[in-house]
Amino acid sequence: MSFALTRRSALLGAAAAAAGLAVAPALNPGRRAGAALPGSPGRITFRRGTQIWSAKHDGTDQRVLADDAGGEVGGCGTWAPDGSRFVYSTGSTIESVRADGSEPFRVAGLYAGVVPDPAFTPDGSYIIAAGQGIMMEPAAPSNLMHATRWYFESPLDGKPYAHPALAADGTFVFEHGNAVHRVTGRTSSVQLIANAKAPDFDPDSSRIAFVRVVGGGDQIWIAYADGSNATQLTTAISTGSVANRDPAWSTDGTAILFTSVESGTPKIKRIHVGSRAVTTLVTNGSQPTCQPVRRNVVERVWGQTALGTAVAASRYNWADHDSGDTGDGVRAPAKAVVLSRDDTYLDALGGSALAVVKQGPLLITPPKKLHADTQAEMRRVLAPGGTVYLLGGTAALSAQVETQVQAMGFTAVRLWGQDEYETAVAIAKAVSPAPTKVMVATSLKYYDALAAGAAAGANPGAVVVLCAGERMPAATAAYLNTFDPDPFHDGGTEICAIGGPAMHAVINGKMAGQMPSWPITTLPRSLYGATEFETAVEVARYFFPVPTTAAVATAATWFDALTGGAMTGTNGGPLLLARAGDLTLPTQAYFSENSATLTRAVLLGGPLALKDSLIGPLGDAISVPGAYDYRQYTETSTTRA
């Protein structure tokens, strides 16, 4: 799957979400799980007792990857689609580590009884594990409650499920009752191959390797993906063993690694599928896996000025207005423009969500006169008759700016109030008249609200309103009072306090009787950290449990985070914060934890805002170290990769 098509799918998905359509986490057919994954060959892994080891493909350079693998019952573990993370079972928990064994964390939820055979979904977003059914869990740490879900619920026949494998076309198979079954529905499956276990798809998903008992021993077989044309691959003569198990395709599909037991000693061997030549790679090892290495992308989106970065972010997402209803194949057509002043952020803190929902860029201009570069970008992206949303009253964007917009042939819609709090409420109402989530963030600092704005844009039905530090303004309180704050009630609305000040403001407003319709026991969901960097991470973890893209902006100024927040929200990704020369530990940890699913990381702003020294740490955080490409997209760029 090309990078361009991936970006295009993300944009269309975000547009569908903005229109109120349900966008479920897709099992992307371009990636595999529990199967040999495509990519450049990396390392191999294998078990020794309760340890998992890794080695080069010829068996040299052996080193311990994990110490707590829990014995043979845990299965072999699986690499992420890009090779950046490895998941394995301790027997009762699922653990995730980087390719060198560092930065471990526990995959939440999947630890009830024996949980063997963890595997990634094809896009790296979820971990699936077999037991009395097939469960799914986000692959990265999440503060979502009840994130675990059943992918396949088993009939109660008492037989365990094992070795889930997912093909490129979405075919899902598993071992059950000494046969390979294919999933046909949430609770239904059909037998695909009899007398078969431990299935593994090859990289192009045309064949399945499996184990079959022949002459009283286990041997490796292969068949077409539909189960036909089953052919024996290993023999006792060719391998010197009647116990050949655990097949794992190489990443190029030319060979299969497997466990071969000789005189009680397990060995890792490789058989070439064409020539049937067998090579011993590792002595005293079992349950091999092969690491794919896929290159990810770090991009910088920037201009020579803050206004130029806004234009670059617009050009990054949106095609020329005359490119047709389907855009240019990479960028989608814009349906509106959101316009804000360039000298303060107050009126624009909810603008990112508005831009995503209205399907257009967020641009900035001086308050008194429409800037020529902004004007040119509006003409490029928006067809005559399109709508331009002006944020704030005439003190924010003058009557002259409105007149200029109208003279360009656009319809001007002004969203405003007597202060930033009323303006935020007006914007929220334009985003959604009946929101399912209302995020409250302080206006006294911009960090929390800008992270919330990107999250609101990427999550249909979410809006942002403002508080004044720990004080609840009257306009915001009146708006909040119109909702049932219990999201578990029919028609209820979840209230999320973003940052510590907002948490106190909501509680203080409730205690002061400013929201009299709220039940006494109601408290907001609070997402906050000790710093602005940690708060942005908490927002990302809650609203983006399975991101494929994420962006970083400097915390020193607000311009790039504002306009870039609309850009990354449109692509369904979170906005994180960093210092000019420091990615910061919370931000770097977020990218690393989500490396299995992240294919792209974006730096918002030029090298003065975020130094070039951040490119390497960011690329290594989302990839196998060094396996990333760097690209730049500026205010004058005209094509997308």
Side-chain angles (χ1 to χ4, degrees), residues 47-49 69-76 116-117 246 286-287:
R47 276 183 172 266
R48 278 186 179 144
E72 297 296 313
V73 70
C76 57
D117 302 318
D246 312 318
S286 64
Q287 299 187 345

mmCIF file of all heavy atoms in Angstrom, residues 47-49 69-76 116-117 246 286-287:
data_model
loop_
_atom_site.group_PDB
_atom_site.id
_atom_site.type_symbol
_atom_site.label_atom_id
_atom_site.label_comp_id
_atom_site.label_asym_id
_atom_site.label_seq_id
_atom_site.Cartn_x
_atom_site.Cartn_y
_atom_site.Cartn_z
ATOM 1 N N ARG A 47 12.764 -18.907 21.515
ATOM 2 C CA ARG A 47 12.673 -19.149 22.954
ATOM 3 C C ARG A 47 13.785 -20.073 23.435
ATOM 4 O O ARG A 47 14.176 -21.009 22.744
ATOM 5 C CB ARG A 47 11.325 -19.800 23.301
ATOM 6 C CG ARG A 47 10.192 -18.825 23.466
ATOM 7 C CD ARG A 47 8.927 -19.572 23.870
ATOM 8 N NE ARG A 47 7.874 -18.623 24.209
ATOM 9 C CZ ARG A 47 7.624 -18.195 25.430
ATOM 10 N NH1 ARG A 47 8.352 -18.642 26.447
ATOM 11 N NH2 ARG A 47 6.667 -17.336 25.670
ATOM 12 N N ARG A 48 14.243 -19.772 24.663
ATOM 13 C CA ARG A 48 15.063 -20.701 25.435
ATOM 14 C C ARG A 48 14.478 -20.714 26.841
ATOM 15 O O ARG A 48 14.694 -19.788 27.612
ATOM 16 C CB ARG A 48 16.523 -20.259 25.478
ATOM 17 C CG ARG A 48 17.314 -20.636 24.265
ATOM 18 C CD ARG A 48 18.779 -20.307 24.400
ATOM 19 N NE ARG A 48 19.506 -20.707 23.209
ATOM 20 C CZ ARG A 48 20.524 -20.025 22.707
ATOM 21 N NH1 ARG A 48 20.942 -18.911 23.294
ATOM 22 N NH2 ARG A 48 21.134 -20.460 21.628
ATOM 23 N N GLY A 49 13.697 -21.722 27.136
ATOM 24 C CA GLY A 49 13.053 -21.783 28.437
ATOM 25 C C GLY A 49 12.112 -20.610 28.627
ATOM 26 O O GLY A 49 11.181 -20.407 27.839
ATOM 27 N N ALA A 69 9.405 -14.780 29.783
ATOM 28 C CA ALA A 69 8.489 -15.243 28.745
ATOM 29 C C ALA A 69 7.579 -16.375 29.169
ATOM 30 O O ALA A 69 6.742 -16.817 28.376
ATOM 31 C CB ALA A 69 9.261 -15.640 27.495
ATOM 32 N N GLY A 70 7.718 -16.897 30.374
ATOM 33 C CA GLY A 70 6.682 -17.761 30.932
ATOM 34 C C GLY A 70 6.597 -19.164 30.396
ATOM 35 O O GLY A 70 5.553 -19.800 30.509
ATOM 36 N N GLY A 71 7.616 -19.695 29.775
ATOM 37 C CA GLY A 71 7.576 -21.083 29.333
ATOM 38 C C GLY A 71 6.881 -21.264 27.994
ATOM 39 O O GLY A 71 6.374 -20.327 27.386
ATOM 40 N N GLU A 72 6.838 -22.498 27.534
ATOM 41 C CA GLU A 72 6.332 -22.802 26.197
ATOM 42 C C GLU A 72 4.872 -22.413 26.003
ATOM 43 O O GLU A 72 4.426 -22.152 24.893
ATOM 44 C CB GLU A 72 6.496 -24.298 25.909
ATOM 45 C CG GLU A 72 7.939 -24.779 25.887
ATOM 46 C CD GLU A 72 8.750 -24.151 24.776
ATOM 47 O OE1 GLU A 72 8.265 -24.110 23.628
ATOM 48 O OE2 GLU A 72 9.865 -23.690 25.049
ATOM 49 N N VAL A 73 4.099 -22.363 27.101
ATOM 50 C CA VAL A 73 2.680 -22.057 26.966
ATOM 51 C C VAL A 73 2.448 -20.660 26.410
ATOM 52 O O VAL A 73 1.418 -20.363 25.830
ATOM 53 C CB VAL A 73 1.962 -22.205 28.331
ATOM 54 C CG1 VAL A 73 2.389 -21.105 29.297
ATOM 55 C CG2 VAL A 73 0.442 -22.180 28.152
ATOM 56 N N GLY A 74 3.441 -19.791 26.555
ATOM 57 C CA GLY A 74 3.250 -18.409 26.119
ATOM 58 C C GLY A 74 3.271 -18.206 24.630
ATOM 59 O O GLY A 74 2.872 -17.163 24.140
ATOM 60 N N GLY A 75 3.752 -19.176 23.873
ATOM 61 C CA GLY A 75 3.836 -19.010 22.438
ATOM 62 C C GLY A 75 5.094 -18.260 22.045
ATOM 63 O O GLY A 75 5.980 -17.987 22.859
ATOM 64 N N CYS A 76 5.171 -17.897 20.773
ATOM 65 C CA CYS A 76 6.411 -17.353 20.229
ATOM 66 C C CYS A 76 6.490 -15.839 20.292
ATOM 67 O O CYS A 76 7.575 -15.272 20.202
ATOM 68 C CB CYS A 76 6.584 -17.807 18.781
ATOM 69 S SG CYS A 76 5.212 -17.362 17.704
ATOM 70 N N PRO A 116 -1.867 -17.058 25.723
ATOM 71 C CA PRO A 116 -0.756 -17.330 24.815
ATOM 72 C C PRO A 116 -0.927 -16.631 23.469
ATOM 73 O O PRO A 116 -1.960 -16.024 23.183
ATOM 74 C CB PRO A 116 -0.845 -18.850 24.633
ATOM 75 C CG PRO A 116 -2.321 -19.120 24.690
ATOM 76 C CD PRO A 116 -2.886 -18.115 25.671
ATOM 77 N N ASP A 117 0.114 -16.740 22.652
ATOM 78 C CA ASP A 117 0.045 -16.402 21.224
ATOM 79 C C ASP A 117 -0.425 -14.993 20.918
ATOM 80 O O ASP A 117 -1.350 -14.780 20.125
ATOM 81 C CB ASP A 117 -0.866 -17.396 20.490
ATOM 82 C CG ASP A 117 -0.398 -18.826 20.636
ATOM 83 O OD1 ASP A 117 0.817 -19.048 20.541
ATOM 84 O OD2 ASP A 117 -1.242 -19.706 20.862
ATOM 85 N N ASP A 246 6.193 -25.179 14.752
ATOM 86 C CA ASP A 246 6.288 -23.711 14.870
ATOM 87 C C ASP A 246 6.759 -23.031 13.584
ATOM 88 O O ASP A 246 7.761 -22.300 13.569
ATOM 89 C CB ASP A 246 7.234 -23.315 16.008
ATOM 90 C CG ASP A 246 6.972 -24.062 17.299
ATOM 91 O OD1 ASP A 246 5.784 -24.219 17.635
ATOM 92 O OD2 ASP A 246 7.946 -24.454 17.968
ATOM 93 N N SER A 286 13.602 -22.583 20.264
ATOM 94 C CA SER A 286 12.321 -23.022 19.702
ATOM 95 C C SER A 286 11.465 -21.806 19.387
ATOM 96 O O SER A 286 11.776 -20.676 19.768
ATOM 97 C CB SER A 286 11.587 -23.939 20.692
ATOM 98 O OG SER A 286 11.240 -23.225 21.873
ATOM 99 N N GLN A 287 10.370 -22.050 18.661
ATOM 100 C CA GLN A 287 9.335 -21.053 18.363
ATOM 101 C C GLN A 287 9.913 -19.781 17.732
ATOM 102 O O GLN A 287 9.877 -18.697 18.312
ATOM 103 C CB GLN A 287 8.537 -20.724 19.624
ATOM 104 C CG GLN A 287 7.828 -21.929 20.198
ATOM 105 C CD GLN A 287 6.906 -21.590 21.353
ATOM 106 O OE1 GLN A 287 6.962 -20.520 21.944
ATOM 107 N NE2 GLN A 287 6.028 -22.522 21.691
#
